[in-house]
Amino acid sequence: MRIAVGGYLVVANSFATQTTGLEQFQRSILSGDDLINKMGRGDSAIAGFLRGAQEQGWKVAPLHYFFPGLAGKNTDEGHQWAMETIINSLRKAQPVDGVFLQLHGTAASESIADCDGDLLRALRGVVGDRVPVIASLDGHANVSQLMASQATMLIGVKTNPHYDFAAVGQQAARVMAGILDGSLQPAMAWAQPELVAPLQKLYIAPGWPMDHLMRLARNRAAANARVLDISLLGGFFVSDRLETGPSVVATTNREANLGREIADEIKEACWARRREFLTDMVSVADAVREAIATDENPVVLGDLADSGGAGTPGDGTAILAELLKQRARDAVVGNIADPAAVQEAMAAGVGKQVTLTVGGKVDRFHGDPVSISGRVRVIHNGIYTASTKFNFGTYHRGPTVVIDCGGIEVILTSRPCLVFEPNHFRSLGIEPAERKILVCKAELQHRAGMATVARTFIDVDAPGLASQDLRRLPFKEIRRPVFPLDDI
């Protein structure tokens, strides 16, 4: 058997002003042996699938893998080039007995709201109706009817923060093997409540709404051998499209009615808990005041509206400005993306005193530029390895500096970067356990990633294009009515 394998991990914040263009796609491509060697030794869905393929004795035809970063929409040129590159390699690989793709599930371009569905439709046009096409999905995928109609099976991760990608890939390989030997015939049902959920409330932990709903899905899957998979995807609310929000994909073996029954049951359970998805945020001023006053240190201030994982520019300044205003001590702002300020600090050199205007430069949605004065304490290449089992791997922040402003340390990076775990700080000579206040730009990963260090978590209602108050965002394409944009 010969199976084609590729990946298209594109995350698009529809409201962000910066786009993902052709150059980013071309820079991120992995092809041929590079795809197999680099993706095969990690914990990605592709790695899990390749292990399953090896166990089955399949020949693998590598297509291409793209991960151009997290920003706004793709340019049409970038998406078309990436899709055509994958499709052309699939044509050259023909004939194949199956296709596996690792997708994120939130890609959009300037004129195409559903790039993942667009890619799946193009793949289906090459291989025909009989060849199985299985795709893995990130837990924040916005699953569309187009995606569900073009794939033989969609399988989402079941954790958030996500750490089970490899397990999902191995599951996809087992299902693929069953399809190829004739023992399985997946029947997929898709359902979606009239609900869109902020990223904050998609955290899966005791007491949070998604924990109950995921348990319900697990129990339904375990109770019936005819059920191949139940994926509850939380959605990505900053991707403005018709099907933005949570969705359920239930896949059975030849039992379409059973799948529909299960998908509808979990859909209704989501709807019944819709008010539990309303956010719990603290104003910037109150959050900083609480952090200064508490003895339960360290305190993590979550800057959810400018999370590096939500496609925002990462240069939000509201919390930094308030820390300066309230004269906070032993605080670390990790981080503000500002390549120009980084270059200024590097030109001055370690130990030198600098005055810099930082942040608030990409747009007007994430606060105004802030003036800071301090000593350049660290100059770093920006590369570090995460210590967690989720969001694993090596991060490239670009040239990075630490400015010690006398009580407040400001980390400046050249690229937006998710800030969610201790190594982000330790790689720069900052021991987070020894600080009082830590500012993390993340939507929810910081709660799990910093759990070994922090004693208090406060999610801050800062301005930004990933604001957890959905009513502030300029939705145009999402279906209406939908909760909580509409009081239904």
Side-chain angles (χ1 to χ4, degrees), residues 18 40 98 147 181 202 252 260 268 274 322 356:
Q18 70 277 29
M147 291 165 63
D181 70 19
L202 298 181
T252 62
R260 169 56 56 194
E268 292 305 320
R274 63 191 180 279
E322 192 64 30
L356 304 169

Side-chain angles (χ1 to χ4, degrees), residues 465-484:
L465 290 176
S467 171
Q468 303 297 295
D469 185 346
L470 277 57
R471 293 165 294 186
R472 297 178 188 169
L473 299 174
F475 286 101
K476 295 179 180 179
E477 304 301 327
I478 194 170
R479 65 202 179 282
R480 303 297 289 264
V482 66
F483 185 84

Side-chain angles (χ1 to χ4, degrees), residues 18 99 113 132-133 135 203 218 221 223 229 248 252 334 368:
Q18 70 277 29
V99 179
V133 176
Y203 185 51
R218 286 195 305 272
D229 180 73
V248 187
T252 62
D368 296 322

